[in-house]
Amino acid sequence: MKDILRGMIAKRRAGIMCGIPSYCTANRLAIEAILEQAKRFDDHILIEATANQVNQFGGYTGMRPADFTKFVYEIADTTGFPREQIVLGGDHLGPLTWAELAEAEAMANAVRLVKEFVLAGFKKIHLDTSMKLADDPADEILSDEVIAERGVVLYEACEEAYQELLEKNPGESRPVFIIGSEVPIPGGAQEEEDSVAVTKPEAFERTVRVYEETFARHGIKDAFENIIGVVVQPGVEFADADVFQYDHADARELCEALKRHDGIVFEGHSTDYQTPESLKQMVEDGIAILKVGPALTYGLREGLFALSLMEKELVPEEKRADFINTMEKVMLEEPGNWKKHYHGTDEEKRQARKYSFSDRCRYYMNDERIEASIRKLFWNLDTAGIPMNMLHQYMPQQYSKVLAGGLKKKASALAKDCVVTFVEDYNYATKHNYMISNVFAR
């Protein structure tokens, strides 16, 4: 397998301002869309799973790391995308899922977690120990020293797992690592904010220094040959209805500090919904790994809603999949994945369930009732046939692609192209001379 992440670092050292999107999703249709698009351009693709989605206990997807590897590879085989061009990443790997436990138990779970990810073939590991655990002092900020100590423990666990892999395959490539203590929470902000504070340069410098000292104390001399990135907050975030766009001027001092550290880039979390121009500026400024997650399933949800509205026009009521109301019904019956995140009046929460940028819908996409509704929606529309004039009304970007012959007028293809719309923004940002789909938007 080509080591594209170390290759990216080498290119940037040579002055080539490249980057890579990190697609963080466990949704089958979204992954299909990403791989089908990448197949056209012979791309290497980075797909990540979070510790919430996938862990040794199954996560909310029910998958362990080895299951996720198999899941992604099966999709690759179905789409005809080469497995060797896929890099798997683990996001927020640490005690996040067990933060209510005391350190000893939470970290024991985290050690098992990272080992399973490495043994399952994940090559990009985000070591996230930034959260407080049950027996950490409640009235004190978690220190960089504690964060780094826990991070190094997990790094050592990953190294143990890698040595196991080497025994089976002497040519096995070593994982690369992402560290950082100013880590945005998974899935975007939970509450509305007026602004987003950019990581201070001295905080970034301190993170690197403390990790260096902690590795040295553990007798590990070569760790920063394998650490390629640091998670920072460059001033980008999203909430239910707001998106904070990247501001080059606000992040200038932080990005200047990065230039003093050869071989390291910044990883930007919560880059969802940024403009293509903002994403490209981020890559040029050193934020070379662009994490995107909820926007992918948000795009898919948009497409499914548009198809559902066309179904309402084309299919008798008793035969409809009625996807929009099915999703609402399932979310109301099982509110655990959105109740703590959506606030306000009943009407405001109803709208958030449908349209929030944080897209808690993604937690329900693998529910068998939702999957059945999607299959029925696709079958209904393919059977009825979508008129071009109606497609223009509800999906104008996809209409243009169908008209030009670049997209089939199949319901599943139309839905997946709504994911591709976001994917193309990231390709524009990370690759030279790449044209984005919204150039053609009317």
Side-chain angles (χ1 to χ4, degrees), residues 127-169:
L127 300 176
D128 182 8
T129 54
S130 61
M131 67 293 302
K132 284 187 177 183
L133 304 179
D135 51 354
D136 287 325
D139 56 349
E140 297 177 15
I141 296 174
L142 198 62
S143 71
D144 288 315
E145 287 76 13
V146 170
I147 291 170
E149 181 65 32
R150 292 171 180 172
V152 171
V153 168
L154 298 184
Y155 179 93
E156 291 178 311
C158 291
E159 178 62 20
E160 289 179 14
Y162 173 62
Q163 293 303 320
E164 286 186 42
L165 291 179
L166 280 181
E167 292 178 6
K168 301 175 184 176
N169 177 20

Tab-separated table of all heavy atoms in Angstrom, residues 127-169:
chain	number	residue	atom	x	y	z
A	127	LEU	N	-4.767	10.234	18.130
A	127	LEU	CA	-4.718	9.985	19.568
A	127	LEU	C	-5.366	11.166	20.290
A	127	LEU	O	-4.797	12.248	20.362
A	127	LEU	CB	-3.271	9.810	20.031
A	127	LEU	CG	-2.504	8.654	19.384
A	127	LEU	CD1	-1.057	8.655	19.853
A	127	LEU	CD2	-3.169	7.309	19.682
A	128	ASP	N	-6.562	10.946	20.800
A	128	ASP	CA	-7.317	12.025	21.450
A	128	ASP	C	-7.499	11.699	22.920
A	128	ASP	O	-8.321	10.861	23.296
A	128	ASP	CB	-8.673	12.199	20.763
A	128	ASP	CG	-9.485	13.340	21.361
A	128	ASP	OD1	-8.932	14.088	22.202
A	128	ASP	OD2	-10.658	13.493	20.976
A	129	THR	N	-6.720	12.368	23.761
A	129	THR	CA	-6.832	12.198	25.218
A	129	THR	C	-7.158	13.526	25.877
A	129	THR	O	-6.774	13.783	27.016
A	129	THR	CB	-5.518	11.631	25.782
A	129	THR	OG1	-4.427	12.456	25.364
A	129	THR	CG2	-5.275	10.213	25.285
A	130	SER	N	-7.873	14.361	25.160
A	130	SER	CA	-8.105	15.737	25.619
A	130	SER	C	-9.259	15.869	26.605
A	130	SER	O	-9.478	16.954	27.151
A	130	SER	CB	-8.382	16.634	24.413
A	130	SER	OG	-9.552	16.196	23.725
A	131	MET	N	-9.995	14.780	26.824
A	131	MET	CA	-11.193	14.872	27.668
A	131	MET	C	-10.902	14.475	29.117
A	131	MET	O	-10.034	13.646	29.391
A	131	MET	CB	-12.318	14.001	27.099
A	131	MET	CG	-12.057	12.503	27.150
A	131	MET	SD	-10.709	11.939	26.066
A	131	MET	CE	-11.298	12.487	24.468
A	132	LYS	N	-11.640	15.085	30.053
A	132	LYS	CA	-11.520	14.707	31.458
A	132	LYS	C	-12.178	13.358	31.691
A	132	LYS	O	-13.182	13.011	31.060
A	132	LYS	CB	-12.189	15.749	32.362
A	132	LYS	CG	-11.392	17.022	32.541
A	132	LYS	CD	-12.063	17.900	33.575
A	132	LYS	CE	-11.252	19.163	33.843
A	132	LYS	NZ	-11.858	19.992	34.895
A	133	LEU	N	-11.616	12.613	32.652
A	133	LEU	CA	-12.189	11.348	33.070
A	133	LEU	C	-12.795	11.512	34.457
A	133	LEU	O	-12.632	12.557	35.098
A	133	LEU	CB	-11.122	10.261	33.040
A	133	LEU	CG	-10.422	10.103	31.674
A	133	LEU	CD1	-9.372	9.023	31.736
A	133	LEU	CD2	-11.435	9.831	30.570
A	134	ALA	N	-13.485	10.498	34.926
A	134	ALA	CA	-14.311	10.630	36.131
A	134	ALA	C	-13.519	11.048	37.362
A	134	ALA	O	-14.036	11.785	38.214
A	134	ALA	CB	-15.047	9.325	36.400
A	135	ASP	N	-12.263	10.586	37.467
A	135	ASP	CA	-11.498	10.933	38.666
A	135	ASP	C	-10.514	12.070	38.447
A	135	ASP	O	-9.658	12.335	39.294
A	135	ASP	CB	-10.777	9.702	39.213
A	135	ASP	CG	-9.968	8.956	38.165
A	135	ASP	OD1	-10.048	9.333	36.980
A	135	ASP	OD2	-9.270	7.994	38.530
A	136	ASP	N	-10.631	12.782	37.319
A	136	ASP	CA	-9.855	14.007	37.146
A	136	ASP	C	-10.501	15.130	37.954
A	136	ASP	O	-11.734	15.171	38.086
A	136	ASP	CB	-9.807	14.411	35.663
A	136	ASP	CG	-8.910	13.502	34.845
A	136	ASP	OD1	-7.880	13.047	35.372
A	136	ASP	OD2	-9.243	13.243	33.667
A	137	PRO	N	-9.710	16.050	38.500
A	137	PRO	CA	-10.284	17.160	39.286
A	137	PRO	C	-11.303	17.948	38.472
A	137	PRO	O	-10.996	18.416	37.362
A	137	PRO	CB	-9.057	18.008	39.629
A	137	PRO	CG	-7.906	17.062	39.569
A	137	PRO	CD	-8.231	16.084	38.473
A	138	ALA	N	-12.486	18.091	39.018
A	138	ALA	CA	-13.562	18.752	38.273
A	138	ALA	C	-13.329	20.241	38.108
A	138	ALA	O	-13.823	20.856	37.158
A	138	ALA	CB	-14.894	18.504	38.973
A	139	ASP	N	-12.576	20.851	39.024
A	139	ASP	CA	-12.405	22.306	39.018
A	139	ASP	C	-11.069	22.740	38.417
A	139	ASP	O	-10.664	23.884	38.579
A	139	ASP	CB	-12.538	22.854	40.440
A	139	ASP	CG	-11.548	22.200	41.408
A	139	ASP	OD1	-10.921	21.190	41.019
A	139	ASP	OD2	-11.410	22.697	42.541
A	140	GLU	N	-10.394	21.829	37.709
A	140	GLU	CA	-9.120	22.172	37.100
A	140	GLU	C	-9.128	21.814	35.616
A	140	GLU	O	-9.764	20.835	35.207
A	140	GLU	CB	-7.966	21.424	37.781
A	140	GLU	CG	-7.764	21.779	39.241
A	140	GLU	CD	-6.645	20.956	39.875
A	140	GLU	OE1	-5.859	20.334	39.105
A	140	GLU	OE2	-6.556	20.920	41.111
A	141	ILE	N	-8.409	22.607	34.827
A	141	ILE	CA	-8.246	22.291	33.414
A	141	ILE	C	-7.311	21.096	33.278
A	141	ILE	O	-6.305	20.997	33.983
A	141	ILE	CB	-7.667	23.507	32.657
A	141	ILE	CG1	-8.662	24.679	32.716
A	141	ILE	CG2	-7.355	23.156	31.208
A	141	ILE	CD1	-8.117	25.965	32.122
A	142	LEU	N	-7.650	20.183	32.393
A	142	LEU	CA	-6.790	19.028	32.167
A	142	LEU	C	-5.464	19.510	31.584
A	142	LEU	O	-5.436	20.181	30.546
A	142	LEU	CB	-7.468	18.043	31.217
A	142	LEU	CG	-6.923	16.614	31.197
A	142	LEU	CD1	-7.089	15.947	32.551
A	142	LEU	CD2	-7.627	15.802	30.117
A	143	SER	N	-4.368	19.174	32.236
A	143	SER	CA	-3.070	19.731	31.840
A	143	SER	C	-2.535	19.064	30.583
A	143	SER	O	-2.878	17.919	30.267
A	143	SER	CB	-2.061	19.569	32.974
A	143	SER	OG	-1.701	18.203	33.125
A	144	ASP	N	-1.668	19.788	29.862
A	144	ASP	CA	-1.006	19.222	28.694
A	144	ASP	C	-0.172	18.008	29.078
A	144	ASP	O	-0.031	17.070	28.284
A	144	ASP	CB	-0.105	20.279	28.037
A	144	ASP	CG	-0.909	21.356	27.333
A	144	ASP	OD1	-1.863	21.004	26.626
A	144	ASP	OD2	-0.584	22.537	27.503
A	145	GLU	N	0.389	18.026	30.293
A	145	GLU	CA	1.209	16.904	30.740
A	145	GLU	C	0.371	15.631	30.871
A	145	GLU	O	0.804	14.544	30.458
A	145	GLU	CB	1.883	17.238	32.071
A	145	GLU	CG	3.025	18.242	31.966
A	145	GLU	CD	2.555	19.690	31.778
A	145	GLU	OE1	1.344	19.963	31.969
A	145	GLU	OE2	3.403	20.540	31.449
A	146	VAL	N	-0.819	15.751	31.442
A	146	VAL	CA	-1.701	14.586	31.587
A	146	VAL	C	-2.160	14.103	30.213
A	146	VAL	O	-2.178	12.894	29.923
A	146	VAL	CB	-2.908	14.923	32.476
A	146	VAL	CG1	-3.953	13.797	32.427
A	146	VAL	CG2	-2.469	15.154	33.911
A	147	ILE	N	-2.533	15.046	29.359
A	147	ILE	CA	-2.969	14.699	28.009
A	147	ILE	C	-1.868	13.947	27.270
A	147	ILE	O	-2.110	12.902	26.636
A	147	ILE	CB	-3.382	15.967	27.239
A	147	ILE	CG1	-4.669	16.560	27.827
A	147	ILE	CG2	-3.562	15.668	25.746
A	147	ILE	CD1	-5.020	17.935	27.301
A	148	ALA	N	-0.648	14.470	27.354
A	148	ALA	CA	0.471	13.849	26.643
A	148	ALA	C	0.814	12.491	27.238
A	148	ALA	O	1.107	11.536	26.508
A	148	ALA	CB	1.689	14.769	26.676
A	149	GLU	N	0.806	12.378	28.553
A	149	GLU	CA	1.122	11.088	29.200
A	149	GLU	C	0.154	10.012	28.726
A	149	GLU	O	0.566	8.893	28.377
A	149	GLU	CB	1.059	11.241	30.715
A	149	GLU	CG	1.396	9.978	31.490
A	149	GLU	CD	2.831	9.525	31.309
A	149	GLU	OE1	3.722	10.393	31.137
A	149	GLU	OE2	3.072	8.297	31.346
A	150	ARG	N	-1.120	10.338	28.703
A	150	ARG	CA	-2.109	9.368	28.233
A	150	ARG	C	-1.943	9.095	26.744
A	150	ARG	O	-2.112	7.954	26.279
A	150	ARG	CB	-3.518	9.873	28.550
A	150	ARG	CG	-3.828	9.896	30.038
A	150	ARG	CD	-5.147	10.592	30.353
A	150	ARG	NE	-5.398	10.593	31.802
A	150	ARG	CZ	-6.387	11.263	32.391
A	150	ARG	NH1	-7.230	12.003	31.650
A	150	ARG	NH2	-6.550	11.213	33.693
A	151	GLY	N	-1.612	10.124	25.982
A	151	GLY	CA	-1.399	9.945	24.553
A	151	GLY	C	-0.224	9.032	24.253
A	151	GLY	O	-0.280	8.188	23.347
A	152	VAL	N	0.847	9.165	25.018
A	152	VAL	CA	2.028	8.330	24.810
A	152	VAL	C	1.731	6.878	25.186
A	152	VAL	O	2.203	5.944	24.527
A	152	VAL	CB	3.234	8.886	25.592
A	152	VAL	CG1	4.408	7.901	25.565
A	152	VAL	CG2	3.662	10.227	25.011
A	153	VAL	N	0.946	6.667	26.213
A	153	VAL	CA	0.528	5.300	26.571
A	153	VAL	C	-0.192	4.654	25.386
A	153	VAL	O	0.054	3.483	25.045
A	153	VAL	CB	-0.382	5.320	27.817
A	153	VAL	CG1	-1.065	3.968	28.024
A	153	VAL	CG2	0.418	5.683	29.058
A	154	LEU	N	-1.054	5.410	24.738
A	154	LEU	CA	-1.783	4.876	23.583
A	154	LEU	C	-0.859	4.681	22.390
A	154	LEU	O	-1.009	3.715	21.626
A	154	LEU	CB	-2.952	5.795	23.223
A	154	LEU	CG	-4.030	5.958	24.295
A	154	LEU	CD1	-5.180	6.816	23.777
A	154	LEU	CD2	-4.545	4.600	24.761
A	155	TYR	N	0.103	5.590	22.211
A	155	TYR	CA	1.087	5.439	21.137
A	155	TYR	C	1.854	4.130	21.322
A	155	TYR	O	2.077	3.380	20.356
A	155	TYR	CB	2.039	6.628	21.139
A	155	TYR	CG	3.127	6.571	20.076
A	155	TYR	CD1	2.930	7.179	18.835
A	155	TYR	CD2	4.328	5.916	20.313
A	155	TYR	CE1	3.912	7.133	17.864
A	155	TYR	CE2	5.323	5.855	19.348
A	155	TYR	CZ	5.110	6.470	18.126
A	155	TYR	OH	6.095	6.411	17.152
A	156	GLU	N	2.265	3.843	22.542
A	156	GLU	CA	2.996	2.603	22.821
A	156	GLU	C	2.123	1.378	22.539
A	156	GLU	O	2.619	0.356	22.028
A	156	GLU	CB	3.471	2.589	24.277
A	156	GLU	CG	4.563	3.599	24.579
A	156	GLU	CD	4.982	3.602	26.036
A	156	GLU	OE1	4.098	3.655	26.904
A	156	GLU	OE2	6.203	3.560	26.294
A	157	ALA	N	0.838	1.471	22.834
A	157	ALA	CA	-0.072	0.366	22.542
A	157	ALA	C	-0.183	0.141	21.039
A	157	ALA	O	-0.215	-1.007	20.565
A	157	ALA	CB	-1.453	0.649	23.144
A	158	CYS	N	-0.235	1.233	20.287
A	158	CYS	CA	-0.271	1.128	18.829
A	158	CYS	C	1.003	0.472	18.304
A	158	CYS	O	0.959	-0.344	17.369
A	158	CYS	CB	-0.435	2.506	18.204
A	158	CYS	SG	-2.039	3.281	18.482
A	159	GLU	N	2.132	0.839	18.875
A	159	GLU	CA	3.401	0.259	18.454
A	159	GLU	C	3.430	-1.245	18.728
A	159	GLU	O	3.918	-2.033	17.900
A	159	GLU	CB	4.563	0.952	19.175
A	159	GLU	CG	5.938	0.402	18.843
A	159	GLU	CD	6.331	0.553	17.388
A	159	GLU	OE1	5.732	1.405	16.687
A	159	GLU	OE2	7.241	-0.173	16.947
A	160	GLU	N	2.895	-1.670	19.861
A	160	GLU	CA	2.819	-3.096	20.168
A	160	GLU	C	1.978	-3.823	19.110
A	160	GLU	O	2.354	-4.904	18.637
A	160	GLU	CB	2.200	-3.307	21.549
A	160	GLU	CG	3.094	-2.905	22.712
A	160	GLU	CD	2.406	-3.115	24.056
A	160	GLU	OE1	1.359	-3.802	24.082
A	160	GLU	OE2	2.898	-2.586	25.068
A	161	ALA	N	0.844	-3.227	18.749
A	161	ALA	CA	-0.016	-3.850	17.743
A	161	ALA	C	0.680	-3.882	16.385
A	161	ALA	O	0.571	-4.872	15.635
A	161	ALA	CB	-1.338	-3.089	17.648
A	162	TYR	N	1.407	-2.823	16.052
A	162	TYR	CA	2.130	-2.788	14.778
A	162	TYR	C	3.184	-3.882	14.722
A	162	TYR	O	3.381	-4.517	13.670
A	162	TYR	CB	2.762	-1.409	14.582
A	162	TYR	CG	3.671	-1.336	13.380
A	162	TYR	CD1	3.174	-1.550	12.093
A	162	TYR	CD2	5.029	-1.061	13.530
A	162	TYR	CE1	4.010	-1.484	10.983
A	162	TYR	CE2	5.866	-0.995	12.432
A	162	TYR	CZ	5.347	-1.213	11.158
A	162	TYR	OH	6.175	-1.159	10.061
A	163	GLN	N	3.865	-4.133	15.830
A	163	GLN	CA	4.865	-5.201	15.856
A	163	GLN	C	4.207	-6.564	15.619
A	163	GLN	O	4.809	-7.445	14.984
A	163	GLN	CB	5.615	-5.190	17.187
A	163	GLN	CG	6.502	-3.966	17.402
A	163	GLN	CD	7.541	-3.772	16.304
A	163	GLN	OE1	8.135	-4.739	15.820
A	163	GLN	NE2	7.759	-2.517	15.909
A	164	GLU	N	2.980	-6.741	16.102
A	164	GLU	CA	2.236	-7.968	15.808
A	164	GLU	C	1.988	-8.108	14.307
A	164	GLU	O	2.120	-9.197	13.736
A	164	GLU	CB	0.896	-7.977	16.548
A	164	GLU	CG	0.985	-8.224	18.039
A	164	GLU	CD	-0.402	-8.367	18.661
A	164	GLU	OE1	-1.263	-9.042	18.047
A	164	GLU	OE2	-0.622	-7.794	19.745
A	165	LEU	N	1.642	-6.994	13.672
A	165	LEU	CA	1.411	-7.025	12.223
A	165	LEU	C	2.681	-7.368	11.470
A	165	LEU	O	2.656	-8.105	10.477
A	165	LEU	CB	0.858	-5.676	11.747
A	165	LEU	CG	-0.550	-5.292	12.185
A	165	LEU	CD1	-0.907	-3.909	11.644
A	165	LEU	CD2	-1.568	-6.318	11.697
A	166	LEU	N	3.802	-6.820	11.929
A	166	LEU	CA	5.085	-7.068	11.255
A	166	LEU	C	5.460	-8.542	11.279
A	166	LEU	O	6.099	-9.041	10.343
A	166	LEU	CB	6.193	-6.241	11.912
A	166	LEU	CG	6.302	-4.767	11.527
A	166	LEU	CD1	7.479	-4.130	12.257
A	166	LEU	CD2	6.463	-4.595	10.019
A	167	GLU	N	5.091	-9.234	12.334
A	167	GLU	CA	5.401	-10.659	12.406
A	167	GLU	C	4.689	-11.440	11.300
A	167	GLU	O	5.221	-12.424	10.777
A	167	GLU	CB	4.998	-11.214	13.774
A	167	GLU	CG	5.856	-10.686	14.931
A	167	GLU	CD	5.400	-11.222	16.271
A	167	GLU	OE1	4.487	-12.091	16.280
A	167	GLU	OE2	5.941	-10.793	17.310
A	168	LYS	N	3.504	-10.985	10.933
A	168	LYS	CA	2.745	-11.651	9.869
A	168	LYS	C	3.151	-11.142	8.492
A	168	LYS	O	3.138	-11.887	7.513
A	168	LYS	CB	1.244	-11.413	10.079
A	168	LYS	CG	0.708	-11.920	11.415
A	168	LYS	CD	-0.746	-11.537	11.596
A	168	LYS	CE	-1.266	-11.940	12.966
A	168	LYS	NZ	-2.667	-11.491	13.196
A	169	ASN	N	3.488	-9.855	8.406
A	169	ASN	CA	3.839	-9.246	7.121
A	169	ASN	C	4.986	-8.273	7.321
A	169	ASN	O	4.770	-7.133	7.735
A	169	ASN	CB	2.624	-8.519	6.535
A	169	ASN	CG	2.959	-7.798	5.238
A	169	ASN	OD1	3.942	-8.107	4.570
A	169	ASN	ND2	2.133	-6.814	4.891
